[in-house]
């Protein structure tokens, strides 16, 4: 599936700038983006998360804080689950009995 958004240059009429400088998407463009959201998530998500982590690691203010969440790819959660599944189950200590 080729995205019509990726194959055409951005058009001025897709955006609206407010007085305070915020830029909004017009309804037509927002609808087009929403139709291709899963493709954007899959293709752009890993790059965005990598960039966020690189910027976070370079900031001295972030020392001691947790890195940004990977909400797009869930890669950190998936890695943690794989580690948990790979760890052998521990046996319960049956030598002690409740009195």
């Amino acid at each position: 599936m080729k995205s019509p958004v990726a194959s055409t240059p951005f058009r001025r009429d897709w955006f609206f700038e407010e007085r305070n400088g915020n830029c909004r998407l017009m309804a037509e463009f927002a609808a087009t983006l929403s139709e291709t959201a899963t493709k954007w998530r899959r293709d752009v998500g890993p790059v965005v998360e990598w960039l966020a982590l690189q910027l976070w690691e370079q900031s001295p203010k972030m020392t001691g804080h947790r890195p940004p969440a990977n909400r797009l790819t869930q890669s950190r959660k998936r890695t943690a689950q794989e580690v948990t599944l790979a760890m052998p189950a521990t046996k319960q200590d049956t030598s002690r009995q409740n009195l």
Side-chain angles (χ1 to χ4, degrees):
M1 174 178 108
K2 188 170 182 178
S3 170
V5 176
S7 62
T8 60
F10 289 139
R11 296 190 342 224
R12 183 179 204 109
D13 60 335
W14 287 351
F15 303 94
F16 173 76
E17 186 176 358
E18 296 177 339
R19 287 183 182 189
N20 62 3
N22 288 342
C23 188
R24 302 282 183 177
L25 302 179
M26 299 302 281
E28 175 191 348
F29 185 53
T32 303
L33 281 178
S34 68
E35 292 169 2
T36 59
T38 55
K39 180 176 177 25
W40 287 104
R41 180 180 187 161
R42 184 183 64 242
D43 295 347
V44 180
V47 176
V48 170
E49 289 179 349
W50 173 84
L51 178 61
L53 183 61
Q54 296 303 309
L55 294 172
W56 178 84
E57 288 176 344
Q58 299 300 317
S59 175
K61 292 181 180 180
M62 294 295 112
T63 303
H65 295 283
R66 291 185 350 188
N70 295 83
R71 290 189 176 94
L72 296 174
T73 62
Q74 299 290 318
S75 62
R76 198 173 357 265
K77 182 186 274 187
R78 196 171 17 260
T79 301
Q81 288 174 348
E82 289 171 0
V83 169
T84 303
L85 294 175
M87 294 178 67
T90 59
K91 294 182 180 181
Q92 293 181 348
D93 186 11
T94 56
S95 62
R96 293 185 181 179
Q97 295 182 0
N98 292 338
L99 299 175

